[in-house]
Amino acid sequence: MLRGEWAEAAKVSGIECVGLVKACSGGEFPVGAKVAALMGGLGRTIHGSYAEYTRVPASNVAIIESDLPWA
């Protein structure tokens, strides 16, 4: 898929992500919340999470509690 050999692939791959909420237009999550998310589409039709910023349907996001470092 990363080599472009998969016919049905979005330009940005990645099917899950973790990070901090930068903005949430619907108000479901506070800015700065630590979250994990599933992108949806399995990297075929929806742009994925291999990016500095991404957007995800709120229904695919969960707030997480962790003291683990990002690395």
Side-chain angles (χ1 to χ4, degrees), residues 19-63:
L20 302 174
V21 174
K22 177 78 173 179
C24 182
S25 61
E28 295 89 348
F29 302 98
V31 171
K34 192 179 288 187
V35 295
L38 300 173
M39 304 307 293
L42 292 174
R44 295 181 182 169
T45 58
I46 298 172
H47 289 305
S49 58
Y50 290 4
E52 183 177 357
Y53 294 97
T54 190
R55 56 187 192 168
V56 182
S59 60
N60 292 14
V61 180
I63 290 180

